[in-house]
Structures are given as C-alpha cells and as structure tokens.
Amino acid sequence: MRLFVYAMREFDELKYFEECREKYGISFDYTTAYPSMDNAVLAKGCDAVSVITNPIGRELLELFAGMGVRFLATRSIGYEHIDVEAAHRLGIRVCHASYSPNSVANYTIMLMLMACRNINYILEKSRLQDYSLEGKIGKELSLCTVGVIGTGKIGETVIKHLGGFGCRILAYDLYEKDSVKQFAEYVSLERLYRESDIVTLHIPGMEENYHMLNAAVFEKMKDGVILINAARGMLVDTDALIAALESKKVGFAALDTVEEEHGLYYLNRERDIILNQHRAVLSAFTNVILSPHMAFYTGQAVSDMVGKTVEAIVRLSEGKESPLEVRI
C-alpha cells in the first residue's frame, strides 16, 4: 500500500511513520504542507492519504478520488473537518484516530487546578517580584462541584481521575455508563449548569452542538463559574463568553481550543498580525488561559495517532473491518 502524508511534523511524527513502514510493509512519501487544490497531485498513485485537522472539502476529495485514492485517514479523533458524505459518494473510506485519553484528561485537570489557584496572576506578579498575598487567594478543587459534559473515553477518564481529589462530580451524556456512576452522578444539563463550580466540555464538535454554551446557558450557571474547554472551540459562543467574563458570571476560562483557530494553531505566527479579534480580546483578560490546542500532545498520543490510523487503512485495504472507520 502506498500512503501520502500531508502536514507531516518531521520532529515528532516521522519516526512513527517509519516504524509503521517496517511493521506493515507500506511505502510512504510526505510533505510538511497542508493539503490544497495546488498540491493534491502529490498523492497521485497513492492508495491512501493521511491528513490532520485541516478542511477537506468536496472539490479536494474529487481530486483525490480521480487520482485513485481509496482511503483517507485523519490523525485526530474529530473528523468534522472532512466532508465525510462526499468522501463516501466518491468511494473514499474515511478513518479517524484513537489515542490515550489520559493525555487530554491530565491536561484538563491541570487547567482546573491553574484556574482554581489563579496561576496567571500569581506568575505575572512573581515575575515583577511582587510576592504579596493580596488578590491571589484561590479555591480548593477538592471542595468544588465539577460538571463534566460528555462521558466518552476522555470525559470518563477525567471523572475517574477527579475521584482522587474528593470533589463532587456531576455528569451529563446522552448515553449513561455504569462505570461512570461509581464516581459521578448523572444529572440533567439544567441541574449541571445550576450546581457546578467548574464546567468542563468533552463532547464532539458537531452541528447540533454548535454554540452549546451561549448567553442563555451562561445565565443559568453560578456566578464566578470556571469554564474548561479542551474539546472543540465551536462548542462555546465566544461573544457570549466575553460578555460573561466582563460581567464576572464566568470567573475564569481555561481554553485549549477557540473558534476560528484554523490557520493559527500549530503554526509559527510570531511575526504576523493575527486577524482573530475574539482571541485578542480573550487574551487581554487576566482570568483567561489560552493554550494552542495542546491537550492531546504527548509522546504516547502522537504514537497512537500515527500508528492506529495507519493500522486502520491497512486493515481496510486488506478487506478487513476497522473500528476507526467513519460510517454514515
């Protein structure tokens, strides 16, 4: 099987693709550039294409299909950036990644602790040699009620790890799990919003979840609530969040992902003027943490993202099933 890899990160992903070449007997070539109408021809003669979280629309898929590409794998859990229906119509089978949920779960809890202890302000003042206590008092995570929206692999892992802190945990999901009920109480969204000191999001970026947290929802929450988003930026109405921060309805927001981050995160833009007013406004708040969609980023996760997507397309090319295939 011949594979072409777009947006290859030579400093961390390449070695895992080389391991897959030895393990599965595949051949591959790559570019560090994201796929586009201009460079789609690089995949000519390949059976499969590997991409990351960049838009893959109908026109690009038509080019790939015309060149004989039969499989498309995204090295991410989410696949909303791919027009999956168009891919299926063109005969291209789509796979997504699976990786250790510990990576995002660990990062999520780190963000909770940083928010609870107001670490932004503490470190800023420390750099200025202001070691006073005034204005730096925090809250104990162990005494908080944490509302976890979404109890898939990552949400469930967050809940299990939070159990060690002794905090009260509320959970919401369309599909309840007995394994979660050992650590958390499933409740309605309304009750979760009303009773939680911290709300953390662990649901996919789907059309029905767009701006799930909006102005009306923020009004239902406790004054000074802490918001954690290590899932998808489109889940939160950024204008409503900014207004909630200004009114102090939201006391702290720790955001690993924001709306309109395409073309921004994973790139070095230090010499550029960033045309993202939402992010500029959020970065001005001392009670906001913005990290560049890094929650997943551990050695184990990168190994999984490469290895499991390659395994998935190899299985499909051999006529076997893969649990990572995206079906419609």
Side-chain angles (χ1 to χ4, degrees), residues 37-143:
M37 300 296 287
D38 293 329
N39 66 17
V41 68
L42 295 174
K44 188 173 182 179
C46 291
D47 306 290
V49 165
S50 176
V51 300
I52 195 67
T53 53
N54 46 281
I56 307 293
R58 177 183 56 81
E59 292 183 352
L60 190 52
L61 289 165
E62 288 174 348
L63 278 181
F64 285 145
M67 293 184 292
V69 172
R70 296 181 295 137
F71 309 104
L72 174 67
T74 178
R75 306 187 300 278
S76 59
I77 289 179
Y79 48 85
E80 64 273 9
H81 52 290
I82 299 172
D83 188 337
V84 176
E85 291 187 2
H88 277 251
R89 287 196 301 269
L90 293 164
I92 298 176
R93 298 172 75 176
V94 178
C95 297
H96 68 125
S98 172
Y99 54 81
S100 167
N102 291 322
S103 57
V104 179
N106 290 173
Y107 201 93
T108 296
I109 294 173
M110 177 191 74
L111 291 177
M112 289 183 191
L113 290 167
M114 292 174 74
C116 283
R117 300 307 296 267
N118 198 14
I119 198 66
N120 277 8
Y121 186 67
I122 290 172
L123 293 179
E124 179 184 351
K125 287 296 185 179
S126 181
R127 281 191 289 268
L128 298 173
Q129 299 180 188
D130 177 356
Y131 309 125
S132 63
L133 294 177
E134 186 176 359
K136 299 173 184 174
I137 196 165
K139 63 174 65 177
E140 297 177 23
L141 177 58
S142 301
L143 300 179

Side-chain angles (χ1 to χ4, degrees), residues 70-71 93 312-322:
R70 296 181 295 137
F71 309 104
R93 298 172 75 176
I313 56 180
V314 167
R315 288 184 62 85
L316 294 182
S317 70
E318 294 174 346
K320 301 174 183 176
E321 296 293 316
S322 169

Side-chain angles (χ1 to χ4, degrees), residues 74-313:
T74 178
R75 306 187 300 278
S76 59
I77 289 179
Y79 48 85
E80 64 273 9
H81 52 290
I82 299 172
D83 188 337
V84 176
E85 291 187 2
H88 277 251
R89 287 196 301 269
L90 293 164
I92 298 176
R93 298 172 75 176
V94 178
C95 297
H96 68 125
S98 172
Y99 54 81
S100 167
N102 291 322
S103 57
V104 179
N106 290 173
Y107 201 93
T108 296
I109 294 173
M110 177 191 74
L111 291 177
M112 289 183 191
L113 290 167
M114 292 174 74
C116 283
R117 300 307 296 267
N118 198 14
I119 198 66
N120 277 8
Y121 186 67
I122 290 172
L123 293 179
E124 179 184 351
K125 287 296 185 179
S126 181
R127 281 191 289 268
L128 298 173
Q129 299 180 188
D130 177 356
Y131 309 125
S132 63
L133 294 177
E134 186 176 359
K136 299 173 184 174
I137 196 165
K139 63 174 65 177
E140 297 177 23
L141 177 58
S142 301
L143 300 179
C144 291
T145 294
V146 181
V148 181
I149 301 177
T151 58
K153 290 182 179 179
I154 293 173
E156 180 177 3
T157 303
V158 168
I159 288 169
K160 288 180 178 179
H161 290 182
L162 280 175
F165 285 85
C167 48
R168 176 175 177 243
I169 308 171
L170 304 178
Y172 173 81
D173 200 292
L174 294 175
Y175 306 98
E176 298 184 2
K177 295 179 178 178
D178 289 338
S179 55
V180 169
K181 293 178 181 178
Q182 301 175 52
F183 304 93
E185 178 186 2
Y186 276 106
V187 297
S188 67
L189 273 177
E190 295 291 318
R191 184 176 165 196
L192 185 148
Y193 294 145
R194 186 174 65 249
E195 298 184 14
S196 297
D197 300 297
I198 302 172
V199 174
T200 182
L201 301 172
H202 300 287
I203 55 177
M206 303 171 67
E207 185 176 350
E208 54 265 39
N209 293 333
Y210 178 71
H211 284 182
M212 179 181 184
L213 296 193
N214 51 45
V217 169
F218 284 126
E219 281 303 310
K220 298 175 182 178
M221 296 183 183
K222 284 186 175 183
D223 290 343
V225 66
I226 293 172
L227 172 64
I228 311 292
N229 187 5
R232 288 291 183 268
M234 55 91 74
L235 300 173
V236 180
D237 181 336
T238 310
D239 286 323
L241 173 59
I242 290 171
L245 285 161
E246 290 173 338
S247 69
K248 300 184 180 180
K249 168 60 74 170
V250 173
F252 205 107
L255 311 172
D256 185 51
T257 178
V258 294
E259 292 187 276
E260 302 167 3
E261 66 184 40
H262 173 66
L264 178 63
Y265 289 168
Y266 310 147
L267 301 173
N268 184 344
R269 301 289 304 276
E270 63 182 340
R271 296 187 178 183
D272 301 335
I273 296 174
I274 304 298
L275 302 179
N276 188 319
Q277 294 184 3
H278 279 152
R279 194 178 190 284
V281 172
L282 287 169
S283 65
F285 288 99
T286 59
N287 57 339
V288 171
I289 291 173
L290 292 174
S291 63
H293 213 142
M294 297 283 293
F296 76 96
Y297 195 56
T298 65
Q300 182 62 55
V302 174
S303 172
D304 290 343
M305 293 164 79
V306 172
K308 292 188 177 183
T309 51
V310 172
E311 179 186 15
I313 56 180

